[in-house]
Amino acid sequence: MAWLRRNGLLGVLVLTAGLAAACSSSPPPVPAATPGAAGAVVTPSVGTAGDSVAGYALGPGERVRLTVFRHEDLSGEFDLDGEGYLAMPLVGEILGAGLTARQLETEIETRLKGGGYLVNPQVSIEVLTYRPFYIIGEVNNPGSYQYVNGMTVINAVALAGGFTYRADQDDIVITRGGSEGKKIDDVKPDTAVLPGDIVEVTERFF
């Protein structure tokens, strides 16, 4: 009987050890995804610095880096002159103002191919220097400021030294791309500011 009790106790110990080992080797639980609207899975979004200039039309005074794949002699940095033209080897002057970087790439490729210079040109364009933007009205230091990717209204106001005590912070108007551009009245602190924009902070009336 003592022999049976000893063997029974040994079996219980072996079984307990096996269960403990199995539990410790199991993988950690996977966190459940958080459902969003319509059951979609919500994942953190990562913004890029160039998001606010997607579709931006180039303008006079800007500088671009133009690369023609495998043709360093045609590549380089080019300035858009006062009328928005840039001059490059072979194709001559090209009007870049009013075109997006992608549209300008296509235009140069068409010129190179249509002129018989290259069979299958591949062109890429990167904007190096943007036009400044302007902020006027009820800010402490109105004037022109160098544009950087991701610029918003609140960034622009901060660069200009903040609001004056007379500023109507709920009445800001953006003229897109210059004095003849489209006016945007529904302006929030996180509204994007683009190169050439005029940001006007109006005065409040007591």
Side-chain angles (χ1 to χ4, degrees):
M1 295 296 291
W3 177 82
L4 287 175
R5 285 196 298 272
R6 285 196 300 271
N7 278 277
L9 180 59
L10 180 61
V12 170
L13 292 173
V14 170
L15 178 60
T16 302
L19 289 173
C23 291
S24 63
S25 62
S26 60
V30 178
T34 304
V41 175
V42 177
T43 55
S45 59
V46 179
T48 59
D51 281 349
S52 64
V53 290
Y56 165 70
L58 299 169
E62 294 180 325
R63 186 174 184 83
V64 299
R65 177 182 290 121
L66 190 157
T67 304
V68 182
F69 184 60
R70 291 183 177 174
H71 291 275
E72 293 184 2
D73 54 328
L74 300 178
S75 304
E77 296 182 3
F78 299 87
D79 293 312
L80 276 67
D81 65 19
E83 296 181 350
Y85 285 87
L86 63 86
M88 64 172 294
L90 299 182
V91 299
E93 287 193 337
I94 299 176
L95 180 61
L99 301 180
T100 66
R102 303 294 81 79
Q103 290 171 334
L104 184 55
E105 289 172 357
T106 301
E107 176 65 20
I108 294 172
E109 289 171 351
T110 300
R111 295 275 194 99
L112 289 170
K113 187 174 182 179
Y117 303 115
L118 298 176
V119 175
N120 185 29
Q122 298 179 36
V123 177
S124 69
I125 288 177
E126 175 189 0
V127 182
L128 298 178
T129 305
Y130 291 97
R131 288 176 287 167
F133 70 91
Y134 306 86
I135 183 165
I136 59 177
E138 296 302 323
V139 290
N140 288 303
N141 299 302
S144 65
Y145 291 87
Q146 184 64 48
Y147 176 82
V148 294
N149 286 337
M151 181 66 63
T152 64
V153 168
I154 197 64
N155 298 145
V157 170
L159 283 175
F163 295 106
T164 68
Y165 73 92
R166 296 184 301 269
D168 186 344
Q169 300 183 25
D170 296 321
D171 188 12
I172 299 174
V173 179
I174 293 178
T175 305
R176 188 66 85 199
S179 58
E180 298 181 359
K182 177 182 177 181
K183 288 188 179 296
I184 301 173
D185 297 316
D186 186 20
V187 175
K188 308 297 183 187
D190 60 351
T191 298
V193 174
L194 297 181
D197 282 359
I198 300 173
V199 181
E200 181 181 4
V201 181
T202 62
E203 181 180 357
R204 62 189 171 99
F205 297 96
F206 296 94

